[in-house]
Amino acid sequence: MTMRVLVLDSPDAAGASAADVIEAQVRLKPQSVLGLATGSSPIPIYRELVRRHREEGLSFAETTFFLLDEYVGLAADHACSYRHFIQEHFVDHVDVQPSKVNGLDGTASDLDAEALRYEQAMIASGGIDLQLLGLGRNGHIGFNEPGSPLDSQTRVATLTETTRQDNSRFFPPVDPVPVRVLTQGIGSILRARNLLVIATGAAKAQAVAATIEGSISTSVPGSAIRLHPEVTVTLDAQAAAHLRADAIAQDQSSAV
Ligand code: GLP
């Protein structure tokens, strides 16, 4: 298995490095299907992609997108929904066709049916070419919390208290973070042809080390990426601080 672990000086540099991977995919295949992630870590990536669209003609007009996860109960236009996040940070600033942006409907009356519809839509699209992922402090990917089966599919899931506290910074003080979410499963994520993970900041250092160097286990959902043959991990120096030096390759491939 080959995993490229790229360590950059700053979150912005990590974002630019991840943007390079996305740009290469879209230039190679403009009709790519990209899986998009939310959270603070990918923001520098979206900022850089928007800049490249404006200044360097990078086009997303033919690209299809699938979001990774969504809060149950939040409509697409809710300020804290992930659908809204992706509009605000990316879609509104590039030449994406709105009909090609797919998200999970957190207000669906039948959430199980919504999860199944989404899984089938991803498959019908031809499958995700490149899936972007952040990493939770507890090692979660998407909203697959510790304990999530490695072959899990898109489904309704329950957040841990840690994640709700971490994500409360995105919500107004009076608004509780939803307990339930819809998320692509770990198995759904692993079906993507390529994975691109970004993690920045000292708070992620432990989760990064457990993901890359610990045992592959449901207790660290991120560790499942090591079951995938094509993975790039972009880190800043702080997030990489607990990694063994030999796990890290600056701008080159390394077998982990
Ligand atoms: C949320 C998202 C994850 C994301 C994680 C980390 O829980 N569901 O997909 O990876 O946050 O977020 P941040 O980058 O803000 O630390």
Side-chain angles (χ1 to χ4, degrees):
M1 177 201 63
T2 302
M3 179 184 285
R4 287 200 311 155
V5 181
L6 306 177
V7 182
L8 289 302
D9 287 343
S10 66
D12 279 353
S17 172
D20 289 344
V21 177
I22 295 172
E23 173 167 4
Q25 174 67 44
V26 172
R27 292 220 188 255
L28 182 73
K29 182 183 170 191
Q31 306 84 354
S32 287
V33 182
L34 298 186
L36 299 180
T38 51
S40 48
S41 318
I43 289 176
I45 306 178
Y46 295 128
R47 203 185 300 131
E48 181 61 14
L49 291 175
V50 169
R51 187 195 68 73
R52 292 180 193 191
H53 168 69
R54 287 184 178 150
E55 296 175 14
E56 297 167 11
L58 178 61
S59 173
F60 300 95
E62 296 179 58
T63 310
T64 297
F65 301 89
F66 282 88
L67 271 68
L68 190 55
D69 45 15
E70 186 56 275
Y71 291 107
V72 166
L74 303 195
D77 60 355
H78 189 288
C80 299
S81 75
Y82 282 164
R83 186 66 181 237
H84 184 269
F85 175 102
I86 220 71
Q87 270 313 119
E88 188 184 5
H89 290 280
F90 183 57
V91 173
D92 283 349
H93 312 288
V94 292
D95 58 347
V96 169
Q97 291 185 40
S99 63
K100 293 192 172 182
V101 183
N102 299 279
L104 285 146
D105 179 3
T107 64
S109 53
D110 184 339
L111 293 169
D112 292 334
E114 172 60 7
L116 188 61
R117 175 198 72 76
Y118 201 68
E119 192 78 44
Q120 288 171 346
M122 284 194 290
I123 293 167
S125 75
I128 309 269
D129 289 300
L130 175 63
Q131 176 67 55
L132 175 61
L133 297 167
L135 192 65
R137 232 166 19 105
N138 62 1
H140 73 236
I141 47 174
F143 269 138
N144 294 283
E145 297 279 39
S148 300
L150 299 183
D151 61 354
S152 49
Q153 305 294 299
T154 302
R155 68 197 188 291
V156 183
T158 303
L159 295 185
T160 60
E161 212 31 55
T162 319
T163 298
R164 292 185 67 225
Q165 274 167 21
D166 284 351
N167 290 3
S168 64
R169 68 189 192 282
F170 294 110
F171 284 73
V174 288
D175 254 345
V177 179
V179 177
R180 290 198 307 159
V181 291
L182 283 162
T183 184
Q184 286 188 36
I186 296 176
S188 329
I189 291 168
L190 292 180
R191 274 205 314 272
R193 293 182 189 90
N194 298 275
L195 301 181
L196 173 62
V197 182
I198 184 159
T200 54
K204 298 289 173 68
Q206 216 179 332
V208 165
T211 292
I212 295 177
E213 295 174 351
S215 44
I216 299 175
S217 144
T218 56
S219 59
V220 181
S223 65
I225 64 171
R226 283 157 50 212
L227 298 170
H228 195 286
E230 293 295 337
V231 185
T232 303
V233 182
T234 53
L235 306 169
D236 70 348
Q238 290 190 328
H242 291 186
L243 287 178
R244 292 190 327 261
D246 63 352
I248 302 169
Q250 303 267 5
D251 293 325
Q252 58 185 318
S253 296
S254 73
V256 174

